[in-house]
Each structure stands twice: as C-alpha cells, then as structure tokens.
Coordinates of all heavy atoms in Angstrom, one line a residue:
K4 N 0.8 -1.2 0.0 CA 0.0 0.1 0.0 C 0.9 1.3 0.0 O 0.6 2.2 -0.7 CB -1.0 0.0 1.2 CG -2.1 -1.0 1.1 CD -3.0 -1.0 2.4 CE -4.1 -2.0 2.2 NZ -4.9 -1.9 3.5
A5 N 1.9 1.2 0.9 CA 2.8 2.4 0.9 C 3.5 2.6 -0.5 O 3.7 3.8 -0.9 CB 3.8 2.2 1.9
C6 N 3.9 1.6 -1.1 CA 4.5 1.7 -2.4 C 3.6 2.1 -3.6 O 4.0 2.8 -4.4 CB 5.2 0.3 -2.9 SG 6.7 0.0 -2.0
I7 N 2.3 1.7 -3.5 CA 1.3 2.1 -4.5 C 1.2 3.7 -4.3 O 1.2 4.4 -5.3 CB -0.1 1.4 -4.2 CG1 0.0 0.0 -4.7 CG2 -1.2 2.2 -4.9 CD1 -1.2 -0.9 -4.2
V8 N 1.0 4.1 -3.1 CA 0.8 5.6 -3.0 C 2.1 6.2 -3.4 O 2.1 7.3 -4.2 CB 0.6 6.0 -1.4 CG1 0.6 7.4 -1.2 CG2 -0.8 5.4 -1.1
G9 N 3.3 5.8 -3.1 CA 4.5 6.4 -3.5 C 4.7 6.4 -5.0 O 5.2 7.4 -5.6
L10 N 4.4 5.3 -5.6 CA 4.5 5.2 -7.1 C 3.6 6.3 -7.8 O 4.1 6.9 -8.7 CB 4.2 3.8 -7.6 CG 5.3 2.8 -7.4 CD1 4.8 1.4 -7.8 CD2 6.5 3.2 -8.3
W11 N 2.3 6.3 -7.4 CA 1.5 7.3 -7.9 C 2.1 8.8 -7.9 O 2.1 9.5 -8.8 CB 0.1 7.3 -7.3 CG -0.8 6.2 -8.0 CD1 -1.1 5.0 -7.5 CD2 -1.5 6.4 -9.2 NE1 -2.0 4.4 -8.3 CE2 -2.2 5.2 -9.4 CE3 -1.7 7.4 -10.2 CZ2 -3.1 5.0 -10.5 CZ3 -2.4 7.2 -11.2 CH2 -3.1 6.0 -11.5
F12 N 2.5 9.2 -6.7 CA 2.8 10.5 -6.4 C 4.3 10.7 -7.0 O 4.5 11.8 -7.6 CB 2.8 10.8 -4.9 CG 1.4 10.9 -4.3 CD1 1.2 10.5 -3.0 CD2 0.4 11.4 -5.1 CE1 -0.1 10.6 -2.5 CE2 -0.9 11.5 -4.6 CZ -1.1 11.1 -3.3
G13 N 5.1 9.8 -6.9 CA 6.5 9.9 -7.4 C 6.5 10.0 -8.9 O 7.2 10.9 -9.5
A14 N 5.6 9.2 -9.5 CA 5.6 9.3 -11.0 C 5.1 10.6 -11.5 O 5.6 11.1 -12.4 CB 4.7 8.1 -11.6
F15 N 4.0 11.1 -10.9 CA 3.4 12.3 -11.4 C 4.3 13.5 -11.0 O 4.4 14.4 -11.8 CB 2.0 12.5 -10.9 CG 0.9 11.8 -11.7 CD1 0.7 10.5 -11.7 CD2 0.3 12.6 -12.7 CE1 -0.2 9.8 -12.6 CE2 -0.7 12.1 -13.5 CZ -0.9 10.7 -13.5
Q16 N 5.0 13.4 -9.9 CA 5.8 14.5 -9.6 C 7.0 14.5 -10.5 O 7.7 15.6 -10.7 CB 6.4 14.4 -8.1 CG 5.3 14.8 -7.0 CD 5.1 16.2 -7.0 OE1 5.5 17.1 -7.7 NE2 4.3 16.6 -6.0
A17 N 7.4 13.4 -11.1 CA 8.5 13.4 -12.1 C 8.0 13.8 -13.5 O 8.6 14.4 -14.3 CB 9.2 12.0 -12.2
L18 N 6.8 13.3 -13.9 CA 6.2 13.6 -15.1 C 5.9 15.1 -15.3 O 6.2 15.7 -16.4 CB 4.9 12.8 -15.3 CG 4.1 13.0 -16.6 CD1 4.9 12.6 -17.8 CD2 2.8 12.3 -16.6
M19 N 5.3 15.7 -14.3 CA 4.9 17.1 -14.5 C 6.0 18.0 -14.8 O 5.9 19.0 -15.7 CB 4.0 17.5 -13.3 CG 2.7 16.8 -13.3 SD 1.7 17.0 -14.7 CE 0.2 17.7 -14.0
P20 N 7.1 18.0 -14.1 CA 8.2 19.0 -14.5 C 8.8 18.7 -15.8 O 9.2 19.5 -16.5 CB 9.2 18.8 -13.3 CG 8.8 17.7 -12.5 CD 7.4 17.3 -12.9
A21 N 8.7 17.4 -16.2 CA 9.3 17.1 -17.5 C 8.3 17.7 -18.6 O 8.8 18.3 -19.6 CB 9.3 15.6 -17.8
L22 N 7.1 17.7 -18.3 CA 6.1 18.4 -19.3 C 6.3 19.9 -19.2 O 6.3 20.5 -20.3 CB 4.6 18.0 -19.0 CG 4.3 16.6 -19.2 CD1 2.8 16.3 -18.7 CD2 4.4 16.2 -20.7
G23 N 6.5 20.5 -18.1 CA 6.7 21.9 -17.9 C 8.0 22.3 -18.6 O 8.0 23.3 -19.2
F24 N 9.0 21.4 -18.5 CA 10.3 21.7 -19.2 C 10.1 21.8 -20.7 O 10.6 22.7 -21.3 CB 11.3 20.6 -18.8 CG 12.7 20.8 -19.4 CD1 13.6 21.6 -18.7 CD2 13.0 20.2 -20.6 CE1 14.8 21.8 -19.2 CE2 14.3 20.4 -21.1 CZ 15.2 21.2 -20.4
L25 N 9.3 20.9 -21.3 CA 9.1 20.9 -22.7 C 8.4 22.1 -23.1 O 8.7 22.8 -24.1 CB 8.3 19.6 -23.1 CG 9.0 18.3 -23.0 CD1 8.1 17.1 -23.3 CD2 10.3 18.3 -23.9
L26 N 7.3 22.6 -22.3 CA 6.6 23.8 -22.6 C 7.6 25.0 -22.5 O 7.6 25.8 -23.4 CB 5.5 24.0 -21.6 CG 4.3 23.0 -21.9 CD1 3.3 23.2 -20.7 CD2 3.6 23.4 -23.2
G27 N 8.3 25.0 -21.4 CA 9.3 26.2 -21.1 C 10.4 26.3 -22.3 O 10.8 27.4 -22.6
S28 N 10.8 25.2 -22.7 CA 11.9 25.1 -23.7 C 11.4 25.8 -25.0 O 12.2 26.5 -25.7 CB 12.3 23.8 -24.0 OG 12.9 23.1 -22.8
R29 N 10.2 25.8 -25.3 CA 9.6 26.4 -26.5 C 9.7 28.0 -26.4 O 9.8 28.7 -27.3 CB 8.2 26.0 -26.8 CG 8.1 24.6 -27.1 CD 6.7 24.2 -27.3 NE 6.2 23.5 -28.5 CZ 6.6 23.5 -29.8 NH1 7.6 24.3 -30.1 NH2 6.0 22.9 -30.7
F30 N 9.6 28.5 -25.2 CA 9.5 29.9 -24.9 C 10.8 30.6 -24.4 O 10.9 31.7 -24.2 CB 8.4 30.3 -24.0 CG 7.1 29.8 -24.5 CD1 6.5 28.7 -23.8 CD2 6.4 30.4 -25.6 CE1 5.2 28.2 -24.2 CE2 5.2 29.9 -26.0 CZ 4.6 28.8 -25.4
E31 N 11.9 29.7 -24.2 CA 13.1 30.1 -23.4 C 13.7 31.3 -24.1 O 14.1 32.3 -23.5 CB 14.0 28.9 -23.4 CG 15.4 29.3 -22.8 CD 16.4 28.2 -23.0 OE1 16.0 27.0 -23.5 OE2 17.5 28.4 -22.6
K32 N 13.9 31.3 -25.4 CA 14.6 32.4 -26.1 C 13.9 33.7 -25.9 O 14.5 34.7 -26.0 CB 14.7 32.0 -27.6 CG 15.7 30.8 -27.8 CD 15.8 30.4 -29.3 CE 16.7 29.3 -29.5 NZ 16.3 27.9 -28.9
N33 N 12.6 33.7 -25.8 CA 11.8 34.9 -25.7 C 11.8 35.5 -24.3 O 11.6 36.7 -24.1 CB 10.4 34.7 -26.1 CG 10.2 34.2 -27.6 OD1 11.1 34.5 -28.3 ND2 9.2 33.5 -27.8
I34 N 12.2 34.7 -23.3 CA 12.0 35.1 -21.9 C 13.3 35.1 -21.2 O 13.4 35.4 -20.0 CB 11.0 34.1 -21.2 CG1 9.7 34.2 -22.0 CG2 10.7 34.6 -19.9 CD1 8.6 33.3 -21.5
I35 N 14.4 34.8 -21.8 CA 15.7 34.5 -21.0 C 16.1 35.8 -20.2 O 16.7 35.6 -19.2 CB 16.8 34.2 -22.0 CG1 18.0 33.6 -21.2 CG2 17.3 35.3 -22.8 CD1 18.3 32.2 -21.7
A36 N 15.7 37.0 -20.6 CA 16.1 38.2 -19.9 C 15.4 38.3 -18.5 O 15.9 38.9 -17.5 CB 15.9 39.4 -20.7
I37 N 14.2 37.7 -18.3 CA 13.5 37.8 -17.1 C 13.3 36.4 -16.5 O 12.4 36.3 -15.6 CB 12.2 38.5 -17.3 CG1 11.3 37.8 -18.3 CG2 12.4 39.9 -17.7 CD1 9.9 38.2 -18.4
D38 N 14.0 35.4 -16.9 CA 13.7 34.0 -16.4 C 13.9 33.9 -14.9 O 13.1 33.2 -14.2 CB 14.6 33.0 -17.2 CG 16.1 33.2 -16.9 OD1 16.5 34.3 -16.3 OD2 16.9 32.4 -17.3
H39 N 14.8 34.6 -14.3 CA 15.0 34.5 -13.0 C 13.8 35.1 -12.2 O 13.5 34.7 -11.1 CB 16.3 35.2 -12.4 CG 16.6 36.5 -13.0 ND1 16.9 36.8 -14.4 CD2 16.4 37.7 -12.4 CE1 17.0 38.1 -14.6 NE2 16.7 38.7 -13.4
W40 N 13.3 36.2 -12.7 CA 12.1 36.8 -12.1 C 10.9 35.8 -12.2 O 10.1 35.7 -11.2 CB 11.7 38.1 -12.7 CG 12.6 39.1 -12.4 CD1 13.7 39.7 -13.1 CD2 12.7 39.9 -11.1 NE1 14.3 40.7 -12.4 CE2 13.8 40.8 -11.2 CE3 11.9 39.8 -9.9 CZ2 14.1 41.7 -10.1 CZ3 12.3 40.7 -8.9 CH2 13.3 41.6 -9.0
I41 N 10.8 35.1 -13.3 CA 9.7 34.1 -13.5 C 9.9 33.0 -12.4 O 8.9 32.5 -11.8 CB 9.6 33.6 -14.9 CG1 9.2 34.6 -15.9 CG2 8.8 32.4 -15.0 CD1 9.4 34.3 -17.3
A42 N 11.2 32.4 -12.3 CA 11.4 31.3 -11.4 C 11.0 31.9 -9.9 O 10.4 31.1 -9.2 CB 12.9 30.9 -11.5
F43 N 11.5 33.1 -9.6 CA 11.2 33.6 -8.3 C 9.7 33.7 -8.0 O 9.2 33.3 -7.0 CB 11.9 35.0 -8.2 CG 11.5 35.8 -6.9 CD1 11.9 35.5 -5.7 CD2 10.6 36.9 -7.1 CE1 11.5 36.2 -4.6 CE2 10.2 37.6 -6.0 CZ 10.6 37.3 -4.7
A44 N 9.0 34.2 -9.0 CA 7.5 34.4 -8.9 C 6.8 33.1 -8.7 O 6.0 32.9 -7.9 CB 6.9 35.2 -10.0
V45 N 7.2 32.1 -9.6 CA 6.5 30.8 -9.7 C 6.8 30.1 -8.3 O 5.8 29.6 -7.6 CB 7.0 29.9 -10.8 CG1 6.5 28.5 -10.7 CG2 6.3 30.5 -12.1
L46 N 8.0 30.0 -7.9 CA 8.4 29.3 -6.6 C 7.7 30.0 -5.4 O 7.3 29.4 -4.5 CB 9.8 29.2 -6.5 CG 10.5 28.2 -7.4 CD1 12.0 28.3 -7.3 CD2 10.0 26.8 -7.3
G47 N 7.7 31.3 -5.5 CA 7.1 32.1 -4.4 C 5.6 32.0 -4.3 O 5.1 31.7 -3.2
I48 N 4.9 31.9 -5.5 CA 3.4 31.7 -5.4 C 3.1 30.3 -5.0 O 2.2 30.2 -4.1 CB 2.9 32.0 -6.8 CG1 2.9 33.5 -7.1 CG2 1.5 31.5 -7.0 CD1 2.6 33.9 -8.6
I49 N 3.8 29.3 -5.4 CA 3.6 27.9 -5.0 C 3.9 27.8 -3.6 O 3.1 27.2 -2.8 CB 4.4 27.0 -5.9 CG1 4.0 27.0 -7.3 CG2 4.3 25.5 -5.2 CD1 4.9 26.2 -8.3
G50 N 5.0 28.4 -3.1 CA 5.4 28.2 -1.7 C 4.3 29.0 -0.8 O 4.0 28.4 0.2

C-alpha cells in the first residue's frame, strides 16, 4: 500500500516537471532576460 501511494505520487511529480520543461523550452529564447524573475515568482506563489 505504501509503495502504491509512493509510485502514484512519485511518477506524477517526475512527469509534470518534464512536461513543464518541454513547454518552457519552447519559450526560453523569448524570456531569457526575465527568467530569474519568473522562477522567483512561480516558486514564491507555489510556496
């Protein structure tokens, strides 16, 4: 039971940043000048 819960959450926590990375890679060249502000804002809002 513990492994079932761990697998579900672990798999999705790994999958979602990979998808986000693919999306972000498409826009990287347009946003590179403010990328640190975006990272700060996203992590700050989530936190």
